[in-house]
Amino acid sequence: MTAKTLDLPKKSWLGLPALAIGLIFVALVTVYGWLFLHAESEMEVLALLVAAAIGVVAGTRSGATRNVSVAMNQHSGIMNAAIIGGVLVVIGLLSQEHFSLLMLTSVLLYLTAALGLNVQFGYTGMVNFAGAAFFGIGAYTAAVMTMHTGVPPLLILLCGGVAAALIGFVLVLPVVRTRGHYSAVVTIAFAVLFKTFLEVNDVLGGPQGLTVGSMSILGWDFNSSPTLFGVEMSFYVNYALLGTVLAAVAFMFTRRLERSWLGLTLDSVRLDETASACFGIGVTRAKILAFTFGNVLAGTAGALYGMMISFIAPTSFTFSDSLLLVAIVLLGGMGNPWGTAVAAAIVVVLPEKLQIIQEYRFLLFSVLVIVMLLFRPDGLLPRQIRTYIPGWRKQP
Amino acid sequence: MSGRLLEITQLSKRFGGVTALDQFEMTVNRGEILGLIGPNGSGKTTSFNVVTGIYAPSQGKILFDGQDITGFTPQQVYKAGVARTFQRSRLCLPLSILDNIMIGNYGRLSKGLWFNLINRRAFQAEFEEGFDQAQALIRTFSASLADRMFEPVGSLPMIERRRIEICRALISRPKLLLLDEPSAGMTHDETKQLMDDILDVRSRIADLSVVIIEHEMGVIERITDRCIVLNYGRKICEGTYGQISTDPEVQQAYLGAE
Ligand SMILES: Nc1ncnc2c1ncn2[C@@H]1O[C@H](COP(=O)(O)OP(=O)(O)OP(=O)(O)O)[C@@H](O)[C@H]1O
Ligand SMILES: [Mg+2]
């Protein structure tokens, strides 16, 4: 798995500057995302999938994709703003549609959790098969705290992350002590234990689960429908907006982590623990950092998820869901947060849109992961060489 | 320039029934290049692994720069001022040249969360300083590598990888550099180039001591001040190249091993 450097294309597509192409790309993806979330018949969905395939091939052939990467690196500020703008536009266009917004927000929250896993797995090489459990810890924390305390819900989100991190500390010792596959086994055991614990624990609602209070910020109740210019919108708009903020913040910190000495340390630990130690790198410290960072993201996302769906049960956070999170990281490309974003969208939305995938989704995603590992081990969007400061001294 | 930097006494290392090091003795003086030679499996690499803390010694004592470093972790040994390369090159192949060299400078990098994640301005300043330093160092080995700091190491030929590995060890400005068969896998001409580089570096860094494990006797003759010969984990001879190459026991060890 060698990362690739970006060759700056000699001539850009249609002679346009890279930034223009980047912005056109974001606009296209925005429209596409809206159409896809909006699509109702399976025919529409299939047509959109074909369009995506054609778009990918055309983009690669014409060199436009290259220009998009260049734009991302050299104008990262503008591009990131444009992408967030794109998400906001999609939320606006779908503002009446409960189900589409629920899906969009789920993508954003799964993305947040998967970014955490990406730090653990993609950068540090620690496979975490308990991602959904940490997500669930956040959701259950939210349930208990919204119903039994007066803590402001925004703070409860953070508490969800902190709770996941604290419970993660219990696991961290065996995970850090064991190497490779054994640490994966520890997390599997934890994922199973977590679900069983919830099922037998009456205080936490047992198999029936718990009700979660809604999010509210300074009197703005997220479960009431907002109105804009006299038009009433779905209450999910609130959650979609906050989900966007959460995912954007998670993305920013994941990126900054990668583009720092700490990110370098995590890569070094993944690639060669012994050599790392010979250059003073604290292997255990690096692993604890990555594990905690990831669990905080998963827990925070889970807390908001719980508030959004307002009712949670042990079956919402199963081992299969943990597998889906791992699949997102693998599919997208280990260590590439953009890949994680693309994969999160595919894995969350596609099964909802195509009945056939819904029924066999675990089977299909397992096959997909195996096929990817065999034929495209670097994922849909392979990770690129670390650029610490994008655009610095014309570096790619 | 006189004085002892490293003193190893009565060092033994056993792996189950195998005694890889047997009452091994070695002294490295400040500023010298010491050759460590011996037949395959005689314990040369093991001696590096024990000094750098990868393996705890079964017995014996290691003094470095006046400090007892016996039983230190690899991290502690690095902090004390020992850096090394590996027999089978252990670079991070998917990472860039810059990344690999910066790993060697870990001791000097700021590791705080605030610094790395929030205070990006301070990070950029430190990054630029680190980049310039790494680039200047690699330029002394190869100007073309210095212009490709963001290329993955995995795409480079062996000789370039060895150079990067040596830079990774040197960037921390160690007092002692341990080179484990730096010429392994290279052609005769490449080996010669690399040895020129090593001599060049040594002439520019005053007081740097080097221990080099090497199979090619031509190399040993050319670059070492002194040699130690190992056989079955024991030191069997010590002296200049001229002295050890005529020693009957050494000749016997090599002939016996062939
Ligand atoms: N981790 C280990 N576990 C068990 N035995 C080991 C280990 N490391 C080394 N040995 C054994 O110790 C002995 C010395 O090995 P070492 O690698 O130090 O030799 P060397 O002199 O570096 O040889 P070479 O010239 O082939 O590199 C060998 O018999 C080897 O099999
Ligand atoms: Mg060896």
Side-chain angles (χ1 to χ4, degrees):
Chain A
M1 293 194 208
T2 49
K4 295 172 187 68
T5 39
L6 264 174
D7 297 320
L8 290 176
K10 306 253 165 351
K11 251 187 6 202
S12 58
W13 186 64
L14 291 181
L16 288 172
L19 179 58
I21 296 170
L23 292 176
I24 292 172
F25 173 78
V26 175
L28 287 175
V29 172
T30 303
V31 173
Y32 187 87
W34 168 59
L35 287 174
F36 205 100
L37 286 166
H38 184 69
E40 271 158 18
S41 74
E42 303 220 330
M43 277 318 288
E44 268 176 87
V45 173
L46 287 176
L48 282 167
L49 286 178
V50 172
I54 295 173
V56 168
V57 173
T60 320
R61 286 277 166 80
S62 65
T65 326
R66 220 1 101 66
N67 285 282
V68 174
S69 328
V70 173
M72 291 281 214
N73 277 298
Q74 302 207 325
H75 309 277
S76 59
I78 301 176
M79 286 299 286
N80 290 341
I83 290 163
I84 292 177
V87 176
L88 294 180
V89 167
V90 173
I91 294 174
L93 291 171
L94 296 173
S95 63
Q96 311 285 336
E97 300 172 32
H98 286 310
F99 187 60
S100 303
L101 285 170
L102 172 63
M103 250 187 311
L104 177 61
T105 315
S106 302
V107 171
L108 293 166
L109 296 179
Y110 266 69
L111 166 60
T112 305
L115 285 171
L117 253 74
N118 182 41
V119 170
Q120 299 172 340
F121 184 26
Y123 297 158
T124 321
M126 310 165 76
V127 202
N128 181 355
F129 283 114
F134 290 106
F135 195 78
I137 290 169
Y140 270 88
T141 307
V144 172
M145 289 185 77
T146 49
M147 300 320 269
H148 301 287
T149 68
V151 179
L154 205 53
L155 219 65
I156 295 181
L157 283 193
L158 281 184
C159 294
V162 171
L166 289 179
I167 296 179
F169 279 132
V170 180
L171 264 195
V172 103
L173 215 65
V175 166
V176 164
R177 285 241 178 105
T178 50
R179 279 192 185 197
H181 306 309
Y182 294 103
S183 75
V185 172
V186 173
T187 64
I188 292 174
F190 177 71
V192 174
L193 190 79
F194 176 74
K195 185 166 172 264
T196 317
F197 170 77
L198 290 179
E199 278 168 351
V200 300
N201 191 314
D202 287 334
V203 180
L204 293 175
Q208 274 78 41
L210 288 177
T211 312
V212 194
S214 62
M215 177 48 115
S216 75
I217 302 174
L218 300 173
W220 165 26
D221 182 8
F222 274 46
N223 280 22
S224 64
S225 309
T227 47
L228 191 66
F229 306 123
V231 185
E232 192 169 304
M233 298 185 285
S234 159
F235 76 93
Y236 282 116
V237 165
N238 301 316
Y239 286 101
L241 290 175
L242 189 55
T244 309
V245 173
L246 188 59
V249 170
F251 201 99
M252 180 187 80
F253 277 114
T254 304
R255 261 296 195 219
R256 285 188 172 189
L257 180 70
E258 187 208 345
R259 293 172 166 166
S260 75
W261 303 140
L262 294 176
L264 175 63
T265 312
L266 302 184
D267 277 324
S268 176
V269 166
R270 177 185 84 248
L271 292 162
D272 193 333
E273 285 188 19
T274 305
S276 297
C278 287
F279 294 101
I281 294 175
V283 175
T284 308
R285 180 183 183 273
K287 287 184 172 179
I288 291 177
L289 169 74
F291 200 62
T292 307
F293 186 99
N295 293 341
V296 168
L297 291 193
T300 311
L304 186 57
Y305 185 80
M307 292 179 188
M308 177 176 71
I309 61 172
S310 74
F311 190 78
I312 51 171
T315 46
S316 322
F317 313 104
T318 60
F319 181 58
S320 308
D321 296 300
S322 294
L323 283 182
L324 277 191
L325 285 172
V326 173
I328 289 175
V329 176
L330 276 173
L331 198 63
M334 297 245 282
N336 186 346
W338 287 117
T340 308
V342 172
I346 294 174
V347 168
V348 174
V349 179
L350 215 50
E352 302 293 345
K353 290 292 176 184
L354 292 176
Q355 205 54 44
I356 175 112
I357 297 190
Q358 176 69 328
E359 272 166 46
Y360 299 102
R361 68 187 180 133
F362 290 117
L363 177 73
L364 278 174
F365 285 129
S366 317
V367 172
L368 192 60
V369 165
I370 292 170
V371 169
M372 288 295 283
L373 287 177
L374 282 176
F375 298 105
R376 202 180 157 94
D378 294 341
L380 292 173
L381 296 179
R383 181 174 175 190
Q384 281 165 349
I385 283 286
R386 182 192 331 275
T387 48
Y388 291 88
I389 319 257
W392 183 75
R393 289 189 197 167
K394 295 230 171 60
Q395 95 190 38
Chain B
M1 287 275 275
S2 69
R4 293 167 165 189
L5 180 62
L6 180 73
E7 270 185 279
I8 296 176
T9 38
Q10 303 269 309
L11 192 70
S12 295
K13 176 68 197 171
R14 281 178 290 274
F15 296 106
V18 180
T19 304
L21 286 176
D22 185 8
Q23 311 266 311
F24 176 57
E25 307 259 333
M26 176 167 93
T27 305
V28 182
N29 299 317
R30 284 177 204 276
E32 79 173 341
I33 298 188
L34 178 74
L36 189 57
I37 60 177
N40 287 115
S42 56
K44 306 180 292 295
T45 299
T46 303
S47 75
F48 279 12
N49 287 343
V50 172
V51 168
T52 54
I54 292 178
Y55 299 138
S58 311
Q59 222 172 65
K61 195 166 166 183
I62 309 168
L63 276 180
F64 178 74
D65 207 15
Q67 186 184 12
D68 186 351
I69 63 163
T70 323
F72 268 32
T73 62
Q75 288 89 346
Q76 291 171 315
V77 175
Y78 165 85
K79 272 199 202 102
V82 182
R84 67 174 291 180
T85 66
F86 297 89
Q87 181 166 357
R88 261 178 251 110
S89 166
R90 293 184 88 145
L91 291 169
C92 299
L93 298 184
L95 303 188
S96 66
I97 298 179
L98 174 67
D99 281 352
N100 273 283
I101 299 178
M102 289 321 285
I103 287 170
N105 209 16
Y106 182 76
R108 282 206 191 75
L109 304 178
S110 301
K111 298 173 250 307
L113 273 178
W114 182 266
F115 175 88
N116 278 278
L117 298 185
I118 316 280
N119 192 357
R120 293 296 286 182
R121 203 171 286 245
F123 176 80
Q124 179 161 354
E126 188 173 301
F127 166 77
E128 287 177 356
E129 194 191 322
F131 179 90
D132 291 339
Q133 217 180 358
Q135 195 175 36
L137 178 62
I138 192 98
R139 182 157 280 141
T140 63
F141 283 81
S142 154
S144 87
L145 279 182
D147 297 330
R148 294 186 283 166
M149 297 296 278
F150 289 97
E151 262 179 46
V153 164
S155 64
L156 300 171
M158 203 54 179
I159 178 166
E160 306 286 39
R161 293 190 196 178
R162 290 285 181 192
R163 286 174 165 148
I164 294 164
E165 231 192 326
I166 294 173
C167 284
R168 176 173 73 173
L170 282 174
I171 188 110
S172 63
R173 281 171 260 158
K175 296 173 188 140
L176 177 63
L177 175 64
L178 305 176
L179 300 173
D180 196 346
E181 293 195 39
S183 72
M186 298 197 312
T187 65
H188 192 76
D189 284 347
E190 287 173 341
T191 304
K192 186 177 174 304
Q193 280 177 40
L194 190 72
M195 295 308 148
D196 288 342
D197 292 341
I198 292 172
L199 286 173
D200 184 46
V201 161
R202 213 271 302 244
S203 69
R204 266 178 294 112
I205 308 177
D207 241 30
L208 174 70
S209 309
V210 181
V211 180
I212 180 169
I213 296 177
E214 185 51 64
H215 277 296
E216 252 185 77
M217 288 307 148
V219 170
I220 290 290
E221 177 172 21
R222 180 163 162 240
I223 78 165
T224 61
D225 301 314
R226 214 158 54 87
C227 294
I228 286 179
V229 187
L230 262 171
N231 197 19
Y232 296 112
R234 280 181 161 273
K235 179 171 84 181
I236 56 168
C237 187
E238 178 171 0
T240 62
Y241 178 78
Q243 289 165 337
I244 60 138
S245 59
T246 50
D247 186 276
E249 201 179 346
V250 173
Q251 285 174 349
Q252 161 100 51
Y254 269 89
L255 289 176
E258 294 293 282

